[in-house]
Amino acid sequence: MATNDSVDILNSAYLAVEYIDSFLPDNPLQQPFKNAWNYMLDNYTKFQIATWGSLIVHEASYFLLCVPGFIFQFIPYMQKYKIQQDKPETWEKQWKCFKTLIFNHFFIQLPLICGTYYFTEYFNIPYEWEEMPRWYVLLAQCFGCAIIEDAWHYFLHRLLHHKRIYKYIHKVHHEFVSPFGMQAEYAHPLETLILGTGFFIGIVVFCNHVILLWAWVICRLMETIDVHSGYDIPLNPLHLVPFYAGARFHDFHHMNFIGNYASTFTWWDRFFGTDSQFIAYKEKEKKQQLLTKK
């Protein structure tokens, strides 16, 4: 009975969104995107699209999303939004981070990306434009992937902080006490595999078109680069996402090496009380701000 009620609610929600979508103006970018997509299908094999297309999407998205945070360090006005103002970025750290990233991207992540084609073939995942899900379905699927990845990340990330394991794997990621955007995927190769597994679970559950692979890559990179940016920017559109953790939440984890283990949302840390030190820190910060105003 409960299952039928849930299905009815989801169907009603889907019909409501579909009804609202019918009143929205046509997306001017849809036709150029359709033409580009069909051109890609006509000129490249599925293996090339799944492998090299996925690599290009990942690399382009990662480094383009890192650009704003990289530029912020040169703008004096933006420094008031930097969370750890006493720990500026250095060229030495950024260069070291970049070299490790390139190694991880091409020697750890690329071999995994090479399995994308075989995944889509095994599960008969379509590539055709006509099979592409609507924007709201894609958005819901990405949100579902984020919920799954967040749960995986919380428990495995917390395990990697265990005193018997931490120094061998996760300590690499915590080399930078004050994080910056490009450092989001700076990690030990084993950590890349362990925590990265959570990314693929949602894909297995929700994927009904190859576009979800790329949309979820972009969404996940947008989130992880934001929380590692080191800047708490006002009017950040990601803060509109319910229970979104944000940069200040994760920056506290890097600052103190404890608590705030989730990647995207706050609910697991709240449920297990692993955000208690962060809450106390925020309360102390508020009191100091009030005293300063007086």
Side-chain angles (χ1 to χ4, degrees), residues 16-261:
V17 174
E18 201 170 44
Y19 179 73
I20 293 169
D21 183 57
S22 66
F23 288 97
L24 296 176
D26 292 336
N27 184 352
L29 299 177
Q30 182 171 327
Q31 191 59 45
F33 181 58
K34 179 181 178 180
N35 294 339
W37 189 271
N38 286 327
Y39 177 86
M40 178 183 71
L41 292 177
D42 292 338
N43 290 275
Y44 299 96
T45 66
K46 285 185 176 181
F47 178 82
Q48 290 172 325
I49 293 168
T51 306
W52 305 118
S54 297
L55 178 67
I56 291 169
V57 168
H58 180 271
E59 295 305 300
S61 300
Y62 191 90
F63 289 106
L64 282 174
L65 289 167
C66 286
V67 168
F70 180 78
I71 294 174
F72 288 165
Q73 66 184 308
F74 304 111
I75 304 175
Y77 176 79
M78 297 305 296
Q79 296 314 300
K80 66 179 180 179
Y81 300 121
K82 184 168 172 57
I83 300 166
Q84 298 187 52
Q85 296 185 7
D86 59 329
K87 298 182 179 68
E89 296 91 343
T90 67
W91 285 107
E92 182 184 1
K93 288 180 179 179
Q94 289 175 102
W95 175 240
K96 183 179 181 180
C97 177
F98 179 77
K99 288 188 292 183
T100 301
L101 279 178
I102 294 300
F103 176 83
N104 282 349
H105 284 183
F106 288 92
F107 292 95
I108 306 297
Q109 294 182 14
L110 180 57
L112 295 175
I113 290 172
C114 287
T116 304
Y117 166 75
Y118 302 100
F119 166 79
T120 59
E121 286 295 292
Y122 183 81
F123 289 101
N124 295 315
I125 305 298
Y127 288 63
E128 291 72 25
W129 174 265
E130 292 73 22
E131 300 294 324
M132 192 176 293
R134 299 285 295 184
W135 66 268
Y136 45 84
V137 174
L138 197 60
L139 193 64
Q141 289 173 325
C142 287
F143 189 70
C145 287
I147 291 172
I148 292 171
E149 190 281 333
D150 185 68
W152 176 272
H153 192 100
Y154 176 85
F155 292 104
L156 272 295
H157 182 197
R158 190 171 177 180
L159 178 63
L160 289 176
H161 271 271
H162 191 280
K163 60 183 180 181
R164 293 186 179 179
I165 304 173
Y166 175 78
K167 64 181 179 181
Y168 298 110
I169 302 175
H170 194 52
K171 187 178 180 180
V172 174
H173 183 67
H174 276 281
E175 186 175 327
F176 304 110
V177 177
S178 178
F180 48 91
M182 192 168 59
Q183 189 241 335
E185 290 187 345
Y186 180 87
H188 189 285
L190 274 177
E191 179 173 341
T192 300
L193 294 172
I194 293 167
L195 296 185
T197 300
F199 172 88
F200 295 101
I201 297 173
I203 293 295
V204 173
V205 174
F206 293 108
C207 195
N208 60 352
H209 194 279
V210 71
I211 191 66
L212 177 62
L213 293 165
W214 295 353
W216 172 222
V217 163
I218 295 169
C219 287
R220 178 69 180 113
L221 290 179
M222 192 182 302
E223 177 276 325
T224 192
I225 290 169
D226 176 58
V227 302
H228 285 92
S229 68
Y231 290 85
D232 188 16
I233 308 297
L235 303 178
N236 185 338
L238 288 174
H239 290 168
L240 297 174
V241 178
F243 301 100
Y244 181 67
R248 192 168 289 276
F249 185 87
H250 193 71
D251 204 280
F252 181 84
H253 174 78
H254 275 266
M255 198 190 309
N256 297 277
F257 306 99
I258 193 169
N260 296 11
Y261 297 111

Side-chain angles (χ1 to χ4, degrees), residues 252 256 258-260 273-282:
F252 181 84
N256 297 277
I258 193 169
N260 296 11
T274 46
D275 65 344
S276 57
Q277 290 190 30
F278 176 64
I279 292 170
Y281 173 77
K282 284 203 300 182

